[in-house]
Amino acid sequence: MWKRKYRSGQLGYHLMMAPGMIFLIIFSFVPMFGIVMAFQDYVPAKGILGSQWVGLTNFEYMLQIPDSWNILRNTVLIALGKIIFGTIVPIVFALLLNEIRLKWAKRSIQTIVYLPNFLSWAVVAAIVINVFDYHGPINSFLQAFGHQPIMFLASNDWFRTVIIGSDVWKNFGYGAIVYLAALTGIDPGLYEASSIDGANRFQQLLHVTFPGILPTIMLISALNLGNILNAGFDQIYALYNPIVYETGDVIDTYVYRVGLLGQQYSFATAIGLLKSVVSFTLLIAANKLSIKFANLRIF
Amino acid sequence: MIKSKTFGSYLSDIIIWTVLLLLTALCFLPLMNMVSVSFSDSTAAQANQVGLLPVNVNFNSYRLLLEDAQFWRSFMISVERVVLGTALNLLLTVLMAYPLSKNTKQFGARNIYMNVMIFAMLFSGGMIPLFIVVKSLGLMDTIWSLILPGAVPIFNVILLMNFFKSIPDSLEEAAIMDGASKLKILFKIYLPISLPALATIGLFSIVGHWNDYFSGLLYMNSSANFPLQTYIQQLNVDVTKITDPSQLKAIASVSNKTLNAAKIVVSIIPVLLIYPFLQKYFTSGLVIGSVKE
Amino acid sequence: MKKFLTLFAAVLMLLSVLSGCKMGSNQSSNSKSVASPQELKPFGKYKKTVTYTIGKATPGIPKLPKGQTYEDNAYTKYLKDTLNIQSKDKFEAQTGDPYDQKVSMAVASGDLPDIMAVNADTLRQLVANDSIADLTDVYKSSASDFIKAKYNSYNGRALKAATFDGKLMALPSTQNANIPTMLWIRQDWLDKLGLKAPKTVDDMEKVLTAFVKKDPGNNGKGNTVGLALSKSVGGNYGSLFVADNIFATYNSFPRQWIKQNGKVVYGSTTNETKQGLSKLADWYKKGLIDPQMAVRDSIESLIISGQAGAFFGPWWSGDYPLNSAIKKNPKANWKPYIISKNGDGKITAYTQNPVSEFYVVRKGFKHPELLPKIASAINDKLVREDKNYKPVVDFVRGGYDGGKPLNVMINFNDATAQMYKDLKATVDGKKDPKSLSLDDSTSYNNIENYLKNPKNPDPNAWSGYTSRIVAGKLMANTPIKEVNPVFFDQTKSMKLKWANLVKLEDETFLKIVTGQKSVNDFGTFVKQWKSTGGTQITQEVVQAIKEK
């Protein structure tokens, strides 16, 4: 009796998974045979069956690029910066917004800060360039304090900072949505209880609000870890120039420039595969660590 | 929540408001600039002389935009895509998140499914094989080519699954006793208390569909079928690559900065409207509060 | 359930794999035309309408008259009327990356349109894979004599690029000569400061110094830019904002494969290029070049806003970007000048690749002669015999774009100089305006308008006159010592190594010019360039030239 019920329950769950799994099989797993292109010299006209096998040549080539380590370092530094600040800023913003009681102001602020997300980097880049112009607001400000103007976007000391900063600025409003949603899930009773205990606003924040959204924070940061090798092609492509290649050239911009010389699908696929392996490993590790230390299963 | 406010509380209010307003202003600037450019004289815009206020205000670009049939056609295609795509995304997300939110004792194959999905999220065979699949299914040039390949937003499934996990089993057990089916439990018990989470992932889907330009480029053979962002993407032309006078007309037609700005501004209006609408589902204390009582 | 899914997946996978390599197998069938001898003639009309599919490269945002589409417009109507043929778009995408993307998807899925444009790399692939038709015979039978004459004006270089093992596999679009590029300068600033027009590099330096120091445009201290320059510095043939003229005075031809003292070298690595760079670095240091050139987003904006006093550009700079500059400030009197080594007006310049893109016919298409026929109709009959064809005249006059189903463009090598000569003769009353081609007669109207009111011209009239008469004259009359680059193709090692070498080159050039690297580092650059693949690629280039 119990067993049958269990089984029928299992079937119910399987049936619920089925529609989505069918889509995943057709549109994710079937196309995955394309991964073999990473081990070929793929020529579109010859198709996958007709293209020549080259083994690990495409991967070996990555190591032969004279500044492959430099490109890798730029990618990781920029991506890491974006992950760290792109997590902290939205959380702080969401927590601050949560302190506001004026409903219309809360909603308006929320709506405005999420708007930059909808402008493409091609558009935003023009604005960023103007802001950092010699005669732009930032340099005018510096000059008012007697500093020399700085060409931020052509400075290897500043380029990554500007990239991370402008990315955080563009996306924090959108990133905050998930935390704002999580904040709504906190039991108001907890606030009442703590205020009866005499906790002030800051103490409430620390002992009620923050723990309330901690699972969401851990979940989002773990999923973001999967982007450790994605530094953001559109943004960097729109903002970089040859002077800052040494600090700003990342995997994706490099692959793009290689691709310009002809359709180099194999090389791009090999890089993509490598990125996937790294992301997959990191994500699995993050999940394991999270289970072990926080007793929280992310997925 | 009426309390006697202390000096410290006032001070923190001031700090909070200052920081928030500053951040808001920062985010408002680019849009303000876009709006100003769209209302400005086109040579002033080309000379990069439009900042936060329009120069020689005029409505020419909006007049031109009204006449641009393809823009509005693309606009409607995007709307259709958002409606259909989000509906399908939500349905599949909900259906998958529920069984996945169970532990392995309740649903034996749970971990297998989960790992398969994580794998699918991170690995891809690149665009050529996907293109061939879409093509051999006969989806080219149909709205379905924009919707079906991304039908399962795995990131959203994981988010919703975690949300479902926080709902206590006790709620479900009562229903099981009454003999309710899994589907009924999901739709009658889980969904009503998950509105903030659904609003969030719904917004993610809407935004994802609205912003995506690449699948339009890949799967639409007729440019009349381009969704809005694919259409807008065509406004970016690199002038330094032009070496032939015969291409001059093409630049002249796309380098209309004010018209382009007007297009971008209009393309943002729908997402500007949808967010406040969804915000009403972010009502505080709805979820766990109702559970605990 | 699971079995069904696995089966489904397997079928799909099979389908996809097969379609990936379809073309190799079933399309090797004979592609002899089914046209009658009459229909094979260049302008022979078909008895029954022939429908052909194309890959349509669009200008992006549609710029067609109301009611017309890419498949039904003045040009498709013309082709229907004259040849009884109708195009159907297999795919449409904006010229550039989006179009190339569509082409490679079409190639990968084995589903080619009957006729499409491809780049050199794709052409090689298609030839190697035997998926396109041999056009040798149909070119002979169905291209008009005028078209053949146009191709021949490149001394065989144009068609040779599309010939493989003696077979003509594509019709290329030609790129006619557009040199020399000129120094465009603010004449009103020169006049205001009482300066003479520059003739040599040294003159130019004096003029730029005066512009920057004396601020004749009242831009405010430190806001005037002497020379507007692109961050690629040099080596892009006939384009805006590069300093090729300066480099050429040192006999330097950056980014070109040239023969120097009998040896094939890459122009960017020569000692002459070092000299050119060092001159530009000197100017940058003195503040004569846009200090923000490395990060400048829109160089045009500097020119339109009136901040910049000079730039290098081709003859058509009067149309773009100067048309907007005149709209913004009608007093901004831009004039083109030639900078030469000794000031004698004689210059050296490199020539360009005579072909830009290649038009190919799918193997198995029953009417391979359509391509030469369409090319002839558009580039011969329509511009001569039928130049008064009303729908097309209205289309061009209305400033519309994107009508031609195929943008195959075949011009005489000296087309630009000829344009000037025709227009000049017409202005002088030696040629009947009615005999002008459609494009030229539009220009002629602008020139007439300018001449009626030269003091206060309409911006379009100014552009027409400045580009085609003022700059056209300079172009036609400047004696040029041509340097022909010896290689435009790609070699095997370039596929993966070239991107990195270009990166090194771009970085070094820009850093040297902007002073972040010393000119003395040029030697290090050359050494590194050679050791990271440059030497090997040079050998391959030498080999490839031998084999041609």
Side-chain angles (χ1 to χ4, degrees), chain A residues 45 61 246 249 261 264-265, chain C residues 129 490 495-496 503 511:
Chain A
Y61 175 69
E246 69 184 73
D249 198 18
L261 300 168
Q264 312 241 359
Y265 293 110
Chain C
N129 205 47
Q490 212 182 80
K495 240 186 154 184
L496 285 174
K503 171 180 173 175
K511 278 190 168 173

Side-chain angles (χ1 to χ4, degrees), chain C residues 384-511:
Chain C
R384 301 203 300 170
E385 200 179 312
D386 292 339
K387 71 186 166 66
N388 294 320
Y389 182 77
K390 183 105 184 2
V392 170
V393 172
D394 293 343
F395 189 97
V396 174
R397 291 259 156 83
Y400 296 107
D401 191 24
K404 292 178 192 168
L406 302 171
N407 290 324
V408 54
M409 217 177 37
I410 306 161
N411 277 324
F412 285 107
N413 193 15
D414 62 349
T416 311
Q418 193 58 44
M419 170 194 77
Y420 162 71
K421 282 176 197 151
D422 288 348
L423 286 171
K424 176 78 174 123
T426 318
V427 170
D428 294 346
K430 289 175 197 154
K431 193 171 157 70
D432 182 3
K434 285 194 184 116
S435 71
L436 288 171
S437 74
L438 186 54
D439 281 339
D440 284 355
S441 78
T442 314
S443 310
Y444 177 69
N445 288 342
N446 283 328
I447 294 165
E448 281 285 277
N449 282 339
Y450 177 87
L451 291 173
K452 266 182 226 152
N453 183 10
K455 285 261 161 62
N456 195 8
D458 162 79
N460 292 337
W462 182 90
S463 290
Y465 181 80
T466 308
S467 289
R468 286 163 187 79
I469 297 296
V470 182
K473 183 178 176 183
L474 260 189
M475 195 166 149
N477 293 350
T478 302
I480 304 172
K481 185 180 148 213
E482 288 187 350
V483 172
N484 292 316
V486 288
F487 188 73
F488 296 107
D489 243 339
Q490 212 182 80
T491 69
K492 197 161 170 283
S493 306
M494 272 189 191
K495 240 186 154 184
L496 285 174
K497 295 194 170 157
W498 195 242
N500 201 54
L501 294 177
V502 171
K503 171 180 173 175
L504 183 66
E505 178 185 352
D506 286 345
E507 192 176 0
T508 310
F509 277 25
L510 194 55
K511 278 190 168 173

Side-chain angles (χ1 to χ4, degrees), chain C residues 268-326:
Chain C
S268 298
T269 60
T270 62
N271 212 27
E272 287 78 4
T273 297
K274 181 182 174 182
Q275 293 169 8
L277 284 174
S278 107
K279 179 49 98 191
L280 291 173
D282 179 46
W283 284 5
Y284 185 90
K285 203 172 160 200
K286 290 175 177 159
L288 308 183
I289 294 177
D290 176 15
Q292 297 193 80
M293 64 176 282
V295 297
R296 186 66 65 191
D297 176 34
S298 155
I299 303 173
E300 295 96 306
S301 72
L302 279 181
I303 286 153
I304 296 165
S305 67
Q307 271 177 276
F311 69 94
F312 286 109
W315 63 271
W316 46 262
S317 306
D319 295 337
Y320 185 92
L322 294 181
N323 184 273
S324 302
I326 299 294

Side-chain angles (χ1 to χ4, degrees), chain C residues 63-131:
Chain C
K63 248 222 142 190
L64 295 164
K66 252 206 172 103
Q68 301 196 5
T69 67
Y70 289 133
E71 289 175 349
D72 178 18
N73 59 56
Y75 286 92
T76 58
K77 188 170 177 311
Y78 174 73
L79 291 171
K80 183 92 201 283
D81 287 352
T82 38
L83 302 176
N84 197 16
I85 57 175
Q86 176 61 49
S87 64
K88 214 175 152 342
D89 296 349
K90 188 125 199 168
F91 55 80
E92 297 163 351
Q94 188 176 23
T95 310
D97 283 355
Y99 179 81
D100 293 344
Q101 184 100 58
K102 282 281 181 197
V103 168
S104 46
M105 289 300 147
V107 172
S109 61
D111 191 13
L112 301 182
D114 296 332
I115 306 176
M116 65 172 173
V118 299
N119 58 27
D121 188 48
T122 312
L123 175 66
R124 265 194 304 272
Q125 276 186 34
L126 291 172
V127 170
N129 205 47
D130 194 25
S131 11

Side-chain angles (χ1 to χ4, degrees), chain B residues 49 127 135 217 221 223, chain C residues 92 94 101-102 111 328:
Chain B
Q49 288 172 337
M127 65 190 171
K135 195 177 157 96
L217 186 64
N221 278 333
S223 55
Chain C
E92 297 163 351
Q94 188 176 23
Q101 184 100 58
K102 282 281 181 197
D111 191 13
K328 182 91 176 65

Side-chain angles (χ1 to χ4, degrees), chain C residues 516-533:
Chain C
Q516 297 205 10
K517 256 190 181 162
S518 131
V519 181
N520 297 327
D521 291 333
F522 189 81
T524 325
F525 153 69
V526 175
K527 229 183 260 159
Q528 203 186 339
W529 187 88
K530 283 183 175 157
S531 68
T532 52

